[in-house]
Amino acid sequence: MEYPSFEFLMFAHLYTVVPCFFIGTILLLISKGTSLHKILGRIYMPLMLITAFITLFIPAQVGPQLIFHFGWIHSFSFLTLYTVPTAYLAIKKGNIKSHRRKMILLYFGAIIIAGGFTLAPGRYLHNLFFG
């Protein structure tokens, strides 16, 4: 069985995470509970799950590989795979406070902080944009 190339995985990740950045930003700024919020949330959550799943196949290239090919940045992938379903269940149960807290954690942890790390020297995106 042949595995997808590193470049394919990176671009698949970018194609799913870049829209998440913009949709997540909009979701943070607009009124909550509106039909627009719900529609964008139904796009955002699956995209976040897909992008997190894709990253599980991308080997860590900066820093130590802890278990198999996972590095520290993969902790954000696991955070996402846990947070999205629990945030969905929270809103389905009417627990708005928990849903809000999880979605803010997800956006800032998995998109802003992890995204910032991907631009560090030695990483693929740093080389792509600045190299």
Side-chain angles (χ1 to χ4, degrees), residues 9-118:
L9 291 169
M10 288 303 297
F11 282 105
H13 175 53
L14 285 174
Y15 287 135
T16 54
V17 78
V18 169
C20 287
F21 170 76
F22 291 108
I23 294 169
T25 302
I26 292 167
L27 285 167
L28 286 173
L29 297 174
I30 66 173
S31 296
K32 309 306 179 258
T34 63
S35 59
L36 178 61
H37 179 89
K38 292 175 184 178
I39 290 166
L40 290 176
R42 288 181 183 124
I43 297 167
Y44 179 75
M45 287 180 136
L47 276 176
M48 285 298 291
L49 287 174
I50 293 165
T51 202
F53 184 73
I54 290 168
T55 62
L56 296 179
F57 297 95
I58 300 172
Q61 301 215 320
V62 174
Q65 290 187 351
L66 306 172
I67 301 171
F68 303 109
H69 66 274
F70 298 124
W72 290 111
I73 200 160
H74 286 96
S75 61
F76 294 103
S77 304
F78 294 111
L79 168 75
T80 301
L81 293 171
Y82 168 79
T83 303
V84 170
T86 59
Y88 176 79
L89 291 174
I91 201 62
K92 284 298 180 190
K93 291 179 181 178
N95 190 342
I96 296 167
K97 184 178 179 181
S98 176
H99 174 77
R100 179 185 297 124
R101 185 179 64 246
K102 288 171 186 288
M103 289 288 90
I104 291 170
L105 172 70
L106 180 67
Y107 179 81
F108 286 100
I111 293 179
I112 301 301
I113 295 172
F117 283 137
T118 65

